[in-house]
Amino acid sequence: MPKQNRSEQLDLLVDALIARPKTAPGKREPKASPKLQALARIAAELLDLPRQDFKDRLKSDLGRRTSMASKPVMKAETRQTATAYLTVRDAAAAIEFYKKAFGATEVMRLVGPGTKIGHAEIRIGNSKIYLSDEFPDFGSVAPQRPGGSPVKMDIVVDDVDALTARAIAAGAKEVRAIQDQFYGMRTGQVADPFGYVWNVSTVLEELTGEEMQKRYDDLVKQGAFTQPQQKPDEKRAPRAVRPIPEGFHTLTPYLAVNGAARLIDFLKEGFGAVEKFRVNRPGSELVMHAEMRMGDSVLELADASDEFGARLLGNILHVHDVDAVYKRALEAGATSRFAPIEQSYGDLEAAVKDPAGNYWNITEIRKTDHRTDDTRTILPYLNLAGAAEFVEFTKRAFGAKEVSMFQAPDGKVIHARLRIGDSILALGEAHGESALILGALHMYVPNVEDVYAAAVREGIKVLRPLRDEPYGDRAAVLQDAFGNWWFPSTHIKDVQF
Amino acid sequence: MKAPAQDAGERGLVEAAQKDPTRFAELYENNFARVYAYVSRRVNNREEAQDLTAEVFHQALANLGRFEWRGVPFAAWLVRIAANAIADRWKLVAREHGNPISGELSSKEISPEEIHHHARLFRLVDTLPAEQRRVIEMRFAQEKSISEIAKEIGRTEGAVKQLQFRGLESLRSQLHVSSRKSTARKSAGRMGRLNA
């Protein structure tokens, strides 16, 4: 019997099996040879075959639970006796803020009624803090009133300056500048957006109560607490610089191209980018550094140099009208990789190469779960050899968190999204049509020393060690084992050009 | 029968996951096929099988600390959780509909060999060549028609049927004759209609 016929016959049997529940009783089924019957028996058993997407989804659900469960939950014997309980308006936002500002980790939350948080527990260092949304009917009211909360929070850390900078970068306001205090600590005070004031300190010297009282008495004698501390002619301390410059997020793609000026024109015409800053190399038409604003994101670029040869980057560009942007990009000189189509995951997507050859996926998000609070106009993506290892590396080196992860059965990463600081990075395994696309990422952090140290500990290659740059950043140039460039930076002083 | 070395490996995994729940993923991977095989044999539709399988693993994760190693395979513990979950569900259904528990469903026994055979078949699917595997997955797990699959993978319908044939053929050749016997009853039941 020819094979073609057998496969046709087998499919008739399979069809009958699949349709079985709907088959009218008494309907004649096809007869088959013993061999085909044996195969059809296996087919019958396969009707129970689990769906791969179900298996993956359940795994990631369980993974989410275990990652929460594995956070240090206090055992009874180490549970702290007294704990602050903060009532805030928008507890979910407050938890996010405390994560960003003070490096808090979420221990648990109870949601409801509605989206309100009835109770949540976060951990800062070795301390737990409880918080909840407002429940005025039960006497829980947030401190949004004149004067704010009479209760202050107090944090003692190894580096008060770094934590204060981090908190201010996350949206806290300075209340009192950091100063060395008589009680042996260096202390500053910030107010969070939810109405609480936090003292932040580092211990300078361990003092006894007696020693402290003596110093305190001296200060009282000097009238330190009866007169305004600031004399009228004393100049106010200069406003602290933002460690992450205005408009920047944690990750900013940095394009090194041949023909930066042409690319700037394209970005303006094709994508409606706004040029914020450009400086040419001395005595040259070549661009040394330029910054373009696109929606809520910044893109940096420069002409390729000896140190940084041209490198093609990949970015996802989130737009509201993919057809219009695609058309405009082509008119401005982009080449099409594919015209707008509806992808299987529900989004409308087109792809182009800009005149310098960089990859742009122009995406109109249709499915709301693809849009999160940190979905920005530009989302850098990488196609790497060893994407799964890269994910683990970024977790260790940069504290990246997995936002989503789709893996092939062999473990290869099809598409993953990572959160680093307040930015998302997309990536997948390079294969076939998706060639290697390496990254060049400017990474603004409040504490570049720590980030640099952690990355070096993870064996990253240092192309340029950490140093103060003339443009006011403390920055380094690193290359990971996958070939990506990282430029971790903290802005330390404002420089006028 | 399991070799003692396998037991030791499984015991190590369970103890690791009890200390660090993020290690649960390995237990999940090792036991998913077995739990799903058991549950899918005892309930009538895919959604229910998925719900129950999810419930089993969530319960197992929540109660992992209570699992004590006494030489009973971890999978047997999972199957017991599944059996209880299924019994609970039927009780609930019976209460909601005011019916007595259906004797036919609740008394249905599945032998460990049958679970083993089924789980093995599911795992064998994972080892098929990529295209065969994809067709088998789409045809049986996703219940797609030949023409839908042909469109999606960009092959002719004839080619898809061939891939299905070859996939089933290689599954058959890899399945042990002995392990097939134990499930012949149920399969024969389904096939009985075909030859009626």
Side-chain angles (χ1 to χ4, degrees):
Chain A
M1 194 182 287
K3 195 145 194 168
Q4 183 67 28
N5 278 347
R6 285 191 305 176
S7 69
E8 295 276 349
Q9 281 189 7
L10 177 64
D11 190 59
L12 287 175
L13 294 175
V14 171
D15 254 348
L17 273 173
I18 291 173
R20 188 176 55 89
K22 291 169 244 154
T23 307
K27 189 180 165 195
R28 298 290 293 177
E29 304 286 0
K31 294 242 187 264
S33 72
K35 161 142 195 203
L36 285 183
Q37 284 190 36
L39 293 184
R41 268 197 293 278
I42 291 173
E45 292 174 25
L46 285 175
L47 292 176
D48 288 337
L49 185 67
R51 287 193 187 160
Q52 189 62 38
D53 60 345
F54 162 70
K55 187 183 167 196
D56 294 345
R57 204 170 53 237
L58 177 55
K59 187 176 182 181
S60 90
D61 285 350
L62 291 164
R64 254 199 307 280
R65 263 188 56 184
T66 56
S67 70
M68 279 174 80
S70 67
K71 281 182 185 142
V73 177
M74 275 196 184
K75 297 233 172 68
E77 62 267 27
T78 53
R79 190 173 289 145
Q80 66 199 31
T81 307
T83 303
Y85 206 127
L86 309 181
T87 303
V88 292
R89 286 187 190 158
D90 197 347
I95 292 170
E96 282 316 303
F97 170 80
Y98 294 136
K99 285 183 192 169
K100 273 189 202 149
F102 300 132
T105 50
E106 181 175 339
V107 178
M108 65 156 305
R109 68 169 78 184
L110 301 177
V111 180
T115 56
K116 273 187 157 188
I117 292 183
H119 174 79
E121 301 182 13
I122 59 170
R123 177 187 302 283
I124 299 177
N126 63 6
S127 309
K128 244 195 208 180
I129 292 168
Y130 298 160
L131 54 129
S132 79
D133 268 304
E134 283 189 307
F135 290 89
D137 293 348
F138 296 90
S140 293
V141 186
Q144 263 92 357
R145 58 193 169 81
S149 166
V151 177
K152 292 191 188 73
M153 303 297 292
D154 197 284
I155 301 186
V156 181
V157 291
D158 288 338
D159 186 346
V160 56
D161 297 82
L163 188 67
T164 304
R166 175 178 175 165
I168 289 170
K173 293 221 161 45
E174 184 184 274
V175 176
R176 200 173 292 161
I178 302 166
Q179 271 186 333
D180 294 353
Q181 301 286 354
F182 73 92
Y183 44 82
M185 286 181 166
R186 183 169 164 74
T187 304
Q189 219 175 45
V190 295
D192 73 30
F194 303 91
Y196 292 95
V197 170
W198 298 70
N199 300 324
V200 185
S201 308
T202 292
V203 177
L204 298 177
E205 44 182 338
E206 297 286 357
L207 298 176
T208 65
E210 274 173 3
E211 289 166 329
M212 240 183 254
Q213 182 66 49
K214 189 171 171 299
R215 292 189 188 182
Y216 189 63
D217 291 344
D218 290 345
L219 283 170
V220 172
K221 260 182 244 159
Q222 290 164 22
F225 300 106
T226 49
Q227 284 171 15
Q229 276 180 299
Q230 206 172 48
K231 289 176 190 148
D233 58 339
E234 205 174 359
K235 278 192 186 142
R236 283 187 62 95
R239 202 174 55 89
V241 295
R242 297 169 58 111
I244 298 169
E246 183 101 47
F248 279 87
H249 299 290
T250 307
L251 297 181
T252 303
Y254 203 122
L255 303 171
V257 298
N258 294 317
R262 164 83 188 90
L263 182 59
I264 290 172
D265 290 340
F266 165 79
L267 292 170
K268 289 188 208 167
E269 287 166 36
F271 294 148
V274 178
E275 181 177 336
K276 302 301 281 185
F277 182 83
R278 179 187 331 200
V279 58
N280 286 348
R281 283 190 212 152
S284 158
E285 291 297 303
L286 293 175
V287 176
M288 186 162 81
H289 176 73
E291 295 171 12
M292 308 294 290
R293 168 154 291 284
M294 293 167 68
D296 64 7
S297 305
V298 176
L299 185 70
E300 294 176 297
L301 71 158
D303 270 298
S305 64
D306 292 342
E307 190 177 11
F308 300 107
R311 161 171 287 196
L312 300 181
L313 302 194
N315 289 301
I316 295 169
L317 181 67
H318 289 120
V319 299
H320 294 295
D321 184 346
V322 67
D323 294 306
V325 176
Y326 173 74
K327 187 160 165 273
R328 193 171 155 184
L330 294 190
E331 284 165 5
T335 47
S336 176
R337 292 180 57 230
F338 58 82
I341 50 161
E342 188 175 337
Q343 296 286 20
S344 56
Y345 39 88
D347 294 340
L348 288 184
E349 200 163 66
V352 300
K353 275 187 175 192
D354 68 31
N358 298 291
Y359 302 90
W360 292 88
N361 277 21
I362 306 168
T363 300
E364 185 179 330
I365 295 176
R366 285 289 182 87
K367 281 188 64 183
T368 48
D369 62 354
H370 284 188
R371 180 179 290 284
T372 56
D373 288 345
D374 39 21
T375 301
R376 306 200 196 289
T377 307
I378 298 178
L379 194 165
Y381 76 81
L382 318 172
N383 282 340
L384 302 174
E389 292 80 12
F390 173 81
V391 169
E392 294 311 313
F393 164 77
T394 54
K395 286 183 189 169
R396 292 192 306 268
F398 300 127
K401 301 257 171 359
E402 261 176 49
V403 178
S404 58
M405 166 67 76
F406 300 98
Q407 276 173 296
D410 61 1
K412 286 233 165 66
V413 176
I414 296 165
H415 187 83
R417 291 192 176 194
L418 302 176
R419 177 175 288 113
I420 299 179
D422 70 352
S423 298
I424 304 285
L425 178 63
L427 66 120
E429 183 76 23
H431 66 93
E433 285 171 27
S434 21
L436 211 57
I437 300 177
L438 299 176
L441 293 161
H442 194 173
M443 176 161 62
Y444 267 116
V445 292
N447 53 335
V448 69
E449 308 281 344
D450 297 345
V451 170
Y452 180 78
V456 169
R457 252 197 320 275
E458 290 305 326
I460 205 163
K461 191 165 150 197
V462 177
L463 299 183
R464 193 196 286 166
L466 198 57
R467 69 182 192 203
D468 293 349
E469 297 288 353
Y471 48 87
D473 285 2
R474 187 159 173 75
V477 178
L478 307 172
Q479 180 174 315
D480 65 32
F482 308 86
N484 304 294
W485 292 331
W486 299 85
F487 314 121
S489 310
T490 295
H491 188 58
I492 50 173
K493 73 175 179 228
D494 293 324
V495 176
Q496 289 297 323
F497 286 92
Chain B
M1 285 304 284
K2 276 192 162 194
Q6 270 177 299
D7 274 355
E10 190 176 59
R11 181 175 191 169
L13 281 181
V14 171
E15 284 170 355
Q18 285 175 329
K19 284 197 200 91
D20 173 9
T22 57
R23 299 285 302 274
F24 189 72
E26 291 160 73
L27 287 173
Y28 174 77
E29 283 296 340
N30 291 352
N31 290 283
F32 175 84
R34 206 176 275 258
V35 170
Y36 194 90
Y38 173 75
V39 170
S40 65
R41 301 250 95 189
R42 290 208 50 192
V43 300
N44 294 322
N45 70 66
R46 186 175 294 279
E47 265 159 43
E48 213 166 342
Q50 292 186 354
D51 275 3
L52 279 159
T53 303
E55 194 180 323
V56 168
F57 280 104
H58 278 288
Q59 272 197 38
L61 176 60
N63 294 304
L64 195 61
R66 287 197 221 150
F67 178 78
E68 280 178 51
W69 191 268
R70 290 190 186 132
V72 179
F74 186 66
W77 186 63
L78 294 174
V79 167
R80 203 168 65 228
I81 295 178
N84 289 339
I86 292 168
D88 286 350
R89 190 156 293 207
W90 282 325
K91 276 181 212 154
L92 193 73
V93 170
R95 237 195 336 267
E96 277 175 1
H97 296 276
N99 296 332
I101 299 166
S102 156
E104 185 206 347
L105 287 174
S106 58
S107 63
K108 196 159 135 191
E109 282 292 332
I110 315 280
S111 71
E113 291 76 24
E114 189 175 345
I115 302 171
H116 176 72
H117 164 84
H118 242 67
R120 189 153 163 261
L121 174 64
F122 294 163
R123 281 196 288 258
L124 281 176
V125 172
D126 288 341
T127 67
L128 289 176
E131 275 202 307
Q132 289 179 21
R133 186 198 142 140
R134 197 158 171 219
V135 167
I136 295 289
E137 231 270 321
M138 291 171 95
R139 186 79 167 119
F140 294 100
Q142 300 174 25
E143 289 158 41
K144 290 194 169 155
S145 71
I146 292 289
S147 72
E148 283 171 324
I149 299 171
K151 227 173 273 167
E152 207 161 312
I153 68 170
R155 302 287 298 262
T156 63
E157 293 189 16
V160 172
K161 285 176 191 171
Q162 288 261 20
L163 284 165
Q164 172 179 261
F165 184 89
R166 284 207 300 275
L168 289 170
E169 215 175 22
S170 76
L171 287 173
R172 178 172 174 261
S173 71
Q174 287 183 65
L175 276 173
H176 248 273
V177 179
S178 61
S179 66
R180 210 170 59 232
K181 274 183 189 159
S182 62
T183 46
R185 259 175 296 122
K186 176 162 178 175
S187 304
R190 286 199 182 187
M191 283 305 295
R193 270 175 184 257
L194 293 180
N195 296 310

